[in-house]
Amino acid sequence: REAKLTPPAIEVLSVVAYRKPVTAEEVTRLRGSPSLAILNQLVRRGLLGIERPEDSPRKPTYLTTERFNRLFHIDSPQDLPTPEELDDK
């Protein structure tokens, strides 16, 4: 089933893709608005995954998944466009 992503969801995905692994607090700080609900939604959709570091299991970090890579046609984070490439568009 096809589902559309809202602009805030795309923004959260972008933050995670470029900054991974990243905590919910960092995403919220970078966006300037609460992000936990969107992060949870993206995890449920399989676009983001959660890691719980052994030294800090209560502070999970978020990262992109293989499903994210397939949907956005990338093989690795190095395939993401650079800020310079985005400025040229």
Side-chain angles (χ1 to χ4, degrees), residues 15-82:
V15 169
V16 175
Y18 281 95
R19 301 272 184 146
K20 67 182 177 182
V22 63
T23 65
E25 292 81 15
E26 291 171 297
V27 175
T28 295
R29 182 180 53 78
L30 289 166
R31 291 187 61 237
S33 60
S35 303
L36 187 58
I38 297 171
L39 285 163
N40 288 333
Q41 176 190 67
L42 294 169
V43 168
R44 280 192 307 276
R45 290 183 174 192
L47 296 171
L48 296 180
I50 299 175
E51 280 187 350
R52 298 190 185 276
E54 286 184 28
D55 62 333
S56 184
R58 290 185 177 256
K59 279 208 166 218
T61 57
Y62 294 85
L63 44 101
T64 56
T65 62
E66 286 300 316
R67 181 168 191 238
F68 170 89
N69 291 348
R70 282 193 313 274
L71 288 173
F72 289 95
H73 306 288
I74 62 171
D75 293 321
S76 72
Q78 290 75 27
D79 292 339
L80 292 169
T82 65

